[in-house]
Amino acid sequence: MLNSSKNLLDDFKTYLDVERNFSEHTTRAYVSDLMSFLIWLDNIPPEKADFNKLREYIYFIQRFEYQKTTLARKIAALRTFYKYLYRERIVDTNPAISLNAPKRPKPLPKFLTTDEIENILNHVKIDTPAGFRNRVILELLWATGMRVSELSGLNFGDLNIENNEIKVMGKGAKERIVLISDRAKNYLIQYINTARNLIAPGYNVSNDEDSPLFINNTGYRLQNKSIRNAINETVKDLELQKKVTPHVFRHSFATRLIENGADLRVVQELLGHAGISNTQIYTHVSTKHLKDVYDKAHPHA
């Protein structure tokens, strides 16, 4: 790979992190995809590659029989990269603008029932400050539908506890307001007043507006991986037939709102979806739920 190509990739990674506010997982995947592309280009600078060259690369990677979702992501990475190069005036035209990704299957999102959620919450071990923090985190995921990266990124200045509101920085650095239940609010207040100050003994833990709300045992911001680990630790003995992740909490939140009659536009706003099409998938989940209930309950079904 050319040194100039490596420098472009480093700048692009910064762009994804800072300006686009992509998740750590997505940024890592895009950078990996583009590194493979730049290595394939060998001594050709990416700004010299035209549409035919990009199409040649797509034909090349199709030999590896990637799943449609993986191939679509690799093409999305190329499109985003060249859109960035065009914006920065590194290329005069965008050769990736006409690249077509394969249609990705849209499986229905997996979600938990209310009973399953409550069972998980009640199995969080809250006999330690960190354990109580984890209970608060899961309560907030269930109450708000926040992404895990949004929750870990919360600062004290984002809280409006009196009005049951939290300001969230979503994808693309877009702010929105999410609402919290009274139960989640009470847990959050207890955490702030007691448990948080005990999580990192011996460290100077601040609670000014720019301080992270959720911290680890050294007083630094709790990371996404730690939240996932806390969930895995909680559910490992519950023998659930579903994989439980922070995003499953998000799906469960949205599904429950739709099933209880919430307006689709309201759910879109609470989830921070850019378009209504991303939210509409939950109507299919709800329809499936209705059919399942009908089949079980109706004598002639």
Side-chain angles (χ1 to χ4, degrees), residues 253-287:
F253 164 81
T255 303
R256 205 64 60 237
L257 290 183
I258 294 293
E259 287 181 352
N260 288 325
D263 182 86
L264 203 59
R265 291 289 181 184
V266 173
V267 179
Q268 177 192 356
E269 182 67 24
L270 290 172
L271 291 175
H273 282 161
I276 196 70
S277 61
N278 293 326
T279 316
Q280 283 174 330
I281 191 168
Y282 295 108
T283 62
H284 301 310
V285 173
S286 183
T287 301

Side-chain angles (χ1 to χ4, degrees), residues 129 132 186-199:
F132 192 84
N186 291 333
Y187 271 104
L188 181 57
I189 291 172
Q190 291 182 63
Y191 163 74
I192 292 171
N193 291 340
T194 57
R196 184 176 182 274
N197 295 324
L198 301 174
I199 288 175

Side-chain angles (χ1 to χ4, degrees), residues 117-118 121-122 135 138-139 142-143 164 180-190:
I117 291 275
E118 292 299 328
L121 293 174
N122 291 330
R135 172 67 189 258
L138 296 192
E139 288 282 352
W142 171 225
N164 291 59
I180 60 174
S181 63
D182 286 336
R183 188 175 81 173
K185 170 183 175 177
N186 291 333
Y187 271 104
L188 181 57
I189 291 172
Q190 291 182 63

Side-chain angles (χ1 to χ4, degrees), residues 45-258:
E47 60 268 29
K48 298 297 183 182
D50 57 12
F51 173 73
N52 289 331
K53 197 66 180 177
L54 297 187
R55 192 166 57 177
E56 182 184 341
Y57 175 70
I58 299 302
Y59 288 150
F60 168 73
I61 61 176
Q62 284 176 333
R63 301 175 190 172
F64 298 101
E65 298 183 350
Y66 289 116
Q67 291 185 354
K68 285 186 177 180
T69 51
T70 303
L71 185 59
R73 190 201 67 220
K74 290 178 179 294
I75 294 174
L78 280 173
R79 288 169 61 93
T80 306
F81 180 59
Y82 276 97
K83 185 177 180 180
Y84 165 75
L85 295 185
Y86 180 70
R87 194 198 76 159
E88 296 296 311
R89 300 183 180 180
I90 297 171
V91 295
D92 295 328
T93 58
N94 181 352
I97 199 168
S98 299
L99 284 181
N100 294 318
K103 289 186 176 180
R104 291 183 285 181
K106 288 190 175 182
L108 293 178
K110 294 179 174 56
F111 64 94
L112 299 163
T113 66
T114 300
D115 287 342
E116 287 170 333
I117 291 275
E118 292 299 328
N119 189 24
I120 292 170
L121 293 174
N122 291 330
H123 273 79
V124 181
K125 297 177 181 178
I126 60 173
D127 54 344
T128 65
F132 192 84
R133 174 204 62 201
N134 295 341
R135 172 67 189 258
V136 177
I137 286 172
L138 296 192
E139 288 282 352
L140 286 178
L141 289 175
W142 171 225
T144 67
M146 275 189 283
R147 301 177 179 92
V148 65
S149 58
E150 294 170 346
L151 186 139
S152 65
L154 291 177
N155 296 329
F156 273 91
D158 299 322
L159 304 180
N160 185 349
I161 296 179
E162 183 178 347
N163 292 330
N164 291 59
E165 297 176 357
I166 297 177
K167 181 177 67 177
V168 171
M169 182 67 72
K171 286 186 176 180
K174 294 180 180 177
E175 288 186 359
R176 72 180 188 281
I177 300 295
V178 299
L179 308 177
I180 60 174
S181 63
D182 286 336
R183 188 175 81 173
K185 170 183 175 177
N186 291 333
Y187 271 104
L188 181 57
I189 291 172
Q190 291 182 63
Y191 163 74
I192 292 171
N193 291 340
T194 57
R196 184 176 182 274
N197 295 324
L198 301 174
I199 288 175
Y203 291 87
N204 184 21
V205 177
S206 172
N207 61 351
D208 58 34
E209 286 199 349
D210 294 326
S211 297
L213 178 61
F214 294 109
I215 57 175
N216 59 25
N217 59 5
T218 59
Y220 288 97
R221 186 182 301 278
L222 194 69
Q223 299 299 305
N224 300 350
K225 183 178 180 181
S226 298
I227 296 175
R228 293 190 176 93
N229 289 342
I231 293 176
N232 292 337
E233 183 66 24
T234 299
V235 304
K236 67 179 182 180
D237 297 324
L238 293 182
E239 298 182 355
L240 294 172
Q241 300 303 310
K242 305 168 184 175
K243 181 174 176 58
V244 183
T245 67
H247 224 66
V248 168
F249 273 78
R250 179 171 164 85
H251 293 324
S252 305
F253 164 81
T255 303
R256 205 64 60 237
L257 290 183
I258 294 293

